[in-house]
Amino acid sequence: MSVCPSDQAAPRLLCLIDAPAPPFTAAARHEDANAKMQMLRWRLVDSLEPDREPSSCLLGASLAGRTVEKTSFAEDPGRGLHLDALHCSRYSALTPALSQQHLPLTYPLSLDILSAEKHGRQPETCNLIGDLDPSPPHVSGETAAPMAFPRNSLRAFLSHAKTSLRTAVRQKQNVTLVIGNESADLDSMTCSLLYAYVRSQAPPKDAFTPLYVPIVNISANDISLRPEFIALFRHANISAAHLITLDDLPIASQYKQLLPPEKTRWILVDHNNLQGFLGQVYSTRVHGTIDHHDEEGTVPKETNPEPRCIEKCGSCTSLVVRFLQPFWDALSSSALSSGAGHAQGDSLIDDSAVIRGWDAQVAKLALASILIDTRDLQDKDKTKDVDREAVTYLESRIKLSPKEARTWDRSAFFKEIDGAEQNIESLTLYDILRKDYKQWNESNCKLGISSVVKPLDFLVNKAGNESGPGAEEAFHKTLEEFMAARSLGLFAVMTTFASPEGKFQRQLLVTSRKDIREAVFQFESSNGEELRLESIPAGTNIDDKAHKGNEESGLSSRSWIQQNVSMSRKQVAPMLRKVLQT
């Protein structure tokens, strides 16, 4: 905590920004024992331009029209963003007002930009807003009531959540984590961010912790495999560095030691069965789920106060939006009616515009997943009413922001994110296979499925370009390496792409160890009619003959055109898992 230098008789602001608890709250008190103590909540209004950081600006403050000395943001690796030494320079002028009025709630406080320190940045790119709250400040030795994260931007929330997670691990504090599935696709990422962001600002009174930390279920390095993330982040004024990933958790071998299961509670979004090392350690700590996959029966039936919703639809984000809508509406209504930051004077940007801008950023993040998963609501097989209703709601959020409403074009937005997702030419074949990958363990046989947005011949040609002559053999050699690295017995590659005529198409390739080859035939026999599987025409060299000269691999492959294009990995994975169980 940064304490303002002053003598004992002078008013003093105790400044605490982005510390683990309470979040983004500063205690403002008068040292006179007879003065009423108040809480001062600070709202960090992020840089108005995506490439500019709040830490680049010097700030000044005025209290009841009187000047307070300038202060600055500083970046502290141990604490994140905090406010340094905001102190009063005119004690004689300030003291009477503070003493006589005892900091009434209507007391105006504003923080004005004085100058910019770094890189020639303009002061108006940053802002800080404060307001007074009737809650008394936390006194050392007292038990503080759970406090919601104050209304703020997604960017500020993620910075705070990352710092808080590190503190929870270091100090063995309770922590609530919201995590998507291990494919970490767009839907899983946006579900976890949206749920944690809104829930942290409106936590239930009996929440395990008031702060919900969103985890993207991949390492930080793997974010570069997802160009659609990068394209979307600029719309939400965040970057890849703001995400909280598996790298922010202890290493798997130290989960129990450094992040004890009893200190955690997990909310699953876009899946309802915690897999892998996390599942081995924390599966009994799952206390909620929102998902659109098949019910797996691993989440307790009673998860109060968290939701338990498993319902088929195009995008899991739609279900998250539906659950959060009343809380989000209440937050926005409350913040707008109270003036979230009570911005005073001409030097501060309008509060309502700021809040609506934050909402629009988060709405775009959520909207991207729904539009991608439903093909802009045009996929009649996948799109449900909940998807359409979520899109309508999120677009209304965007249109409430004066800045965003002027340029909003849903079709252009969808094409931008979709184009970025399709742009995998720069990735290696191995990275393409692990980009959107999920894994299960059935009857001591590991099953993996990769979803790819290009046809099989694209993958074969890429293998040839990477390895030279013998594209088919190189392709299957990569499959062999991929399976060996994960100890897979069965590996499927599901492709989606558009034909030259623009028709949506699917292909399916299944590679197995030869000792479980019968499972592949059983899969085809049991599900071929429903999936409308047709063998890929002869001469494509995708099937077993591609293993010519590589029989020692012990692998066998079968590939098909999947005419029933409505059946995605959500439907095919249970089919493959079932044949491994028999």
Side-chain angles (χ1 to χ4, degrees):
M1 181 178 290
S2 176
V3 179
C4 313
S6 65
D7 57 63
Q8 290 299 311
R12 185 169 75 178
L13 290 177
L14 306 181
C15 306
L16 178 63
I17 299 295
D18 202 24
F24 274 114
T25 301
R29 68 178 68 183
H30 186 252
E31 288 300 317
D32 182 344
N34 296 320
K36 179 180 178 182
M37 293 190 295
Q38 299 283 344
M39 291 293 283
L40 179 65
R41 289 189 177 182
W42 301 92
R43 268 74 168 176
L44 175 63
V45 181
D46 287 312
S47 168
L48 303 183
E49 300 181 22
D51 60 341
R52 293 180 176 171
E53 294 290 338
S55 55
S56 69
C57 292
L58 281 171
L59 305 174
S62 62
L63 185 60
R66 296 175 174 83
T67 301
V68 177
E69 285 188 6
K70 69 182 180 181
T71 184
S72 66
F73 273 116
E75 190 79 33
D76 182 341
R79 291 171 53 205
L81 282 174
H82 63 282
L83 192 62
D84 275 345
L86 176 61
H87 57 279
C88 302
S89 61
R90 302 182 183 179
Y91 298 128
S92 60
L94 285 169
T95 301
L98 289 169
S99 298
Q100 294 168 17
Q101 300 187 38
H102 304 300
L103 290 175
L105 294 182
T106 56
Y107 215 90
L109 181 140
S110 65
L111 292 157
D112 307 324
I113 301 300
L114 297 184
S115 64
E117 288 186 294
K118 302 177 184 177
H119 314 302
R121 294 172 178 168
Q122 296 302 308
E124 60 267 20
T125 64
C126 297
N127 227 325
L128 184 77
I129 300 173
D131 68 355
L132 292 170
D133 186 282
S135 306
H138 175 57
V139 179
S140 179
E142 294 182 352
T143 301
M147 182 178 294
F149 179 80
R151 198 75 166 92
N152 217 308
S153 68
L154 177 64
R155 181 185 181 125
F157 166 71
L158 291 174
S159 295
H160 175 71
K162 183 174 288 194
T163 301
S164 297
L165 175 60
R166 291 171 181 167
T167 301
V169 172
R170 186 173 62 250
Q171 299 183 5
K172 301 293 193 299
Q173 296 175 347
N174 289 347
V175 61
T176 302
L177 303 114
V178 184
I179 190 166
N181 67 51
E182 63 274 24
S183 75
D185 61 2
L186 200 62
D187 200 21
S188 280
M189 184 270 290
T190 59
C191 280
S192 62
L193 265 60
L194 178 62
Y195 188 96
Y197 174 70
V198 176
R199 200 70 161 154
S200 292
Q201 295 175 87
K205 62 181 180 180
D206 50 350
F208 186 67
T209 62
L211 183 71
Y212 293 66
V213 179
I215 305 293
V216 180
N217 204 345
I218 50 173
S219 67
N221 287 338
D222 286 349
I223 295 173
S224 63
L225 304 181
R226 294 157 172 79
E228 64 275 20
F229 282 25
I230 309 305
L232 179 58
F233 287 161
R234 72 177 185 85
H235 290 281
N237 194 23
I238 62 174
S239 68
H242 289 101
L243 295 186
I244 304 167
T245 69
L246 296 179
D247 293 344
D248 295 293
L249 299 176
I251 60 174
S253 62
Q254 295 184 312
Y255 280 164
K256 290 184 178 180
Q257 176 186 354
L258 299 181
L259 190 62
E262 66 273 13
K263 293 290 185 179
T264 69
R265 181 161 289 186
W266 297 75
I267 314 300
L268 309 185
V269 287
D270 202 23
H271 60 147
N272 64 92
N273 187 2
L274 191 60
Q275 298 281 341
F277 289 119
L278 289 174
Q280 293 174 21
V281 177
Y282 300 109
S283 60
T284 61
R285 301 299 299 169
V286 173
H287 282 76
T289 183
I290 299 180
D291 189 25
H292 64 151
H293 296 88
D294 284 349
E295 166 72 70
E296 299 202 36
T298 64
V299 179
K301 295 298 183 183
E302 178 53 57
T303 59
N304 191 55
E306 307 302 340
R308 191 188 195 283
C309 171
I310 300 176
E311 177 182 330
K312 295 297 179 66
C313 63
S315 172
C316 186
T317 301
S318 300
L319 300 176
V320 174
V321 169
R322 183 180 67 186
F323 172 75
L324 294 175
Q325 182 174 337
F327 305 105
W328 197 352
D329 287 343
L331 280 170
S332 298
S333 175
S334 175
L336 288 171
S337 64
S338 64
H342 291 298
Q344 306 286 335
D346 295 335
S347 63
L348 289 178
I349 50 184
D350 179 64
D351 271 5
S352 65
V354 172
I355 296 163
R356 287 169 175 156
W358 295 339
D359 285 343
Q361 291 171 356
V362 177
K364 282 187 174 182
L365 193 83
L367 189 60
S369 296
I370 304 172
L371 297 181
I372 291 297
D373 283 349
T374 64
R375 309 307 300 165
D376 196 11
L377 302 181
Q378 298 307 302
D379 188 328
K380 304 304 181 185
D381 294 314
K382 295 178 67 174
T383 305
K384 307 300 181 186
D385 286 344
V386 67
D387 300 303
R388 300 183 188 94
E389 291 163 2
V391 167
T392 299
Y393 176 75
L394 294 170
E395 282 203 282
S396 71
R397 284 277 178 199
I398 295 169
K399 293 173 182 177
L400 283 173
S401 168
K403 179 181 177 182
E404 299 294 343
R406 288 195 298 269
T407 58
W408 174 243
D409 183 331
R410 191 178 100 191
S411 178
F413 177 71
F414 166 69
K415 289 177 181 177
E416 177 190 354
I417 306 303
D418 184 52
E421 186 179 49
Q422 303 292 325
N423 183 20
I424 60 173
E425 282 79 1
S426 62
L427 301 181
T428 66
L429 174 58
Y430 196 93
D431 282 345
I432 290 172
L433 294 177
R434 69 188 185 92
K435 176 181 183 290
D436 189 354
Y437 172 78
K438 296 185 72 172
Q439 183 172 304
W440 300 264
N441 192 2
E442 298 292 345
S443 302
N444 295 319
C445 179
K446 291 183 178 179
L447 162 68
I449 304 180
S450 292
S451 292
V452 180
V453 294
K454 297 289 184 181
L456 288 172
D457 58 0
F458 171 90
L459 303 181
V460 172
N461 291 334
K462 176 166 277 291
N465 292 336
E466 293 173 359
S467 304
E472 296 81 12
E473 288 79 4
F475 172 68
H476 281 280
K477 182 67 175 177
T478 302
L479 295 184
E480 177 188 350
E481 293 172 354
F482 192 90
M483 293 179 66
R486 292 157 180 79
S487 301
L488 299 180
L490 198 64
F491 178 46
V493 178
M494 299 188 66
T495 72
T496 58
F497 57 97
S499 69
E501 298 76 29
K503 183 180 179 181
F504 183 71
Q505 295 186 308
R506 288 187 182 274
Q507 294 169 323
L508 175 61
L509 169 71
V510 180
T511 301
S512 67
R513 296 194 314 257
K514 288 197 172 180
D515 61 304
I516 58 170
R517 186 178 183 180
E518 287 302 316
V520 180
F521 291 118
Q522 183 181 347
F523 163 76
E524 182 179 17
S525 174
S526 301
N527 305 286
E529 183 175 351
E530 183 177 5
L531 294 173
R532 292 162 53 197
L533 298 179
E534 296 182 6
S535 296
I536 289 181
T540 57
N541 294 323
I542 295 294
D543 288 350
D544 284 343
K545 56 186 172 181
H547 289 291
K548 184 178 180 181
N550 192 32
E551 289 298 324
E552 67 276 8
S553 69
L555 298 179
S556 174
S557 292
R558 291 280 288 140
S559 59
W560 304 271
I561 298 170
Q562 183 184 314
Q563 296 288 9
N564 185 350
V565 296
S566 68
M567 307 289 275
S568 66
R569 182 167 57 189
K570 286 198 295 290
Q571 291 78 35
V572 175
M575 296 174 179
L576 287 167
R577 294 174 68 183
K578 184 175 181 179
V579 298
L580 291 176
Q581 295 167 0
T582 57

